């Protein structure tokens, strides 16, 4: 019946809007599914899977990926199908969810910005806690190693922080006493292909001058805050673009909804004229 009543002059732009919404949502649902797969792969592919009791899964950081991916995929599919089928219920749910997301993100951004000092303190405590459990928790070890190699740092404030770890403490009985993890070493591979786990042995005993040729001296908290300062422009730009896109999505969805209402009203008028 739709071709019988006159199309509104803006039908071309409506067509474009509709398929913009469909394609952007398709892209986002693919992104969501990829995130979900990464999370599941991380859960399954852990050596810790066999060793840990299943209760350890509840606190696994990979669960966050699974959850985010699932939410993103479901939400995007809702928007995609809603726009394709011009289903008002789906589109209304979709725009309400996007509105909630935008509000949540703005809130998080404000909180992060206003609580910078406290967040730095939490980071320090978190890093120290991870260092204490370095040998016991594979997740924490992986994250700590990634941070130390990626930012070329060692410890939270200084490489001597590693004395809080039972095995690296200078009074420890083992080989690792007074040492630091291999991820602190400037050249952990030492021309091999596998990390030389001995490269950080005894590093805490060295004075800073002789230590600097073997390990990174700077603590990771300083490196993290420097990295954020250097990239603050990029971070702000990305946040603004992402929020802008979501707000644009809201406007396009609202426009589509209005359009659907209008064409249904027109259709009702047309049907009545036939009676």
């Amino acid at each position: 019946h739709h071709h019988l009543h006159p199309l509104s002059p803006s039908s071309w732009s409506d067509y474009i809007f509709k398929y913009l919404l469909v394609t952007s949502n398709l892209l986002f649902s693919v992104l969501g599914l990829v995130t979900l797969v990464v999370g599941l792969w991380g859960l399954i592919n852990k050596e810790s899977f066999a060793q840990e009791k299943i209760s350890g899964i509840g606190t696994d950081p990979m669960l966050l990926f699974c959850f985010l991916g699932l939410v993103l995929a479901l939400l995007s599919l809702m928007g995609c199908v809603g726009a394709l089928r011009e289903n008002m219920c789906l589109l209304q749910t979709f725009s309400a969810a996007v509105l909630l997301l935008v509000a949540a993100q703005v809130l998080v951004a404000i909180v992060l910005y206003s609580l910078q000092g406290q967040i730095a303190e939490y980071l320090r405590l978190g890093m120290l806690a991870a260092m204490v459990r370095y040998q016991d928790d594979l997740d924490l070890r992986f994250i700590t190693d990634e941070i130390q190699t990626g930012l070329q740092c060692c410890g939270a404030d200084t490489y001597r922080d590693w004395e809080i770890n039972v095995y690296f403490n200078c009074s420890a009985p083992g080989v690792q006493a007074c040492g630091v993890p291999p991820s602190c070493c400037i050249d952990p591979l030492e021309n091999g292909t596998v990390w030389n786990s001995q490269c950080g042995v005894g590093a805490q005993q060295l004075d800073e001058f002789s230590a600097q040729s073997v390990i990174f001296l700077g603590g990771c908290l300083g490196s993290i805050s420097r990295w954020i300062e250097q990239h603050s422009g990029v971070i702000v730009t990305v946040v603004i673009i992402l929020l802008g896109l979501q707000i644009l999505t809201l406007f396009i969805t609202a426009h589509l909804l209005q359009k659907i209402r209008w064409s249904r009203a027109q259709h009702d008028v047309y049907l009545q004229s036939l009676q």
Side-chain angles (χ1 to χ4, degrees), residues 61-87:
M62 284 297 172
L63 270 183
L64 186 65
F65 277 100
C66 293
F67 177 70
L68 283 177
L70 197 62
V71 169
L72 190 59
L74 283 176
L75 186 61
S76 307
L77 281 172
M78 192 189 292
C80 187
V81 175
L84 260 182
R85 306 279 315 141
E86 300 198 351
N87 182 316

Side-chain angles (χ1 to χ4, degrees), residues 11-79:
S11 60
W12 256 109
S13 64
D14 292 330
Y15 191 75
I16 292 169
F17 277 152
K18 178 174 163 177
Y19 286 100
L20 248 178
L21 204 56
V22 170
T23 40
S24 64
N25 273 309
L26 264 180
L27 283 175
F28 274 112
S29 47
V30 169
L31 187 69
L33 288 173
V34 169
T35 314
L36 180 63
V37 168
V38 166
L40 288 173
W41 177 82
L43 278 178
I44 293 163
N45 210 25
K46 280 262 185 49
E47 319 105 289
S48 58
F49 215 76
Q51 299 155 16
E52 285 176 359
K53 293 176 269 317
I54 299 297
S55 63
I57 294 179
T59 56
D60 200 296
M62 284 297 172
L63 270 183
L64 186 65
F65 277 100
C66 293
F67 177 70
L68 283 177
L70 197 62
V71 169
L72 190 59
L74 283 176
L75 186 61
S76 307
L77 281 172
M78 192 189 292

Side-chain angles (χ1 to χ4, degrees), residues 22 27 61 96 127 151 159 172 183 215 230 265:
V22 170
L27 283 175
M127 180 99 197
L151 293 174
Y159 67 102
S183 55
I215 59 168
Q230 282 164 0

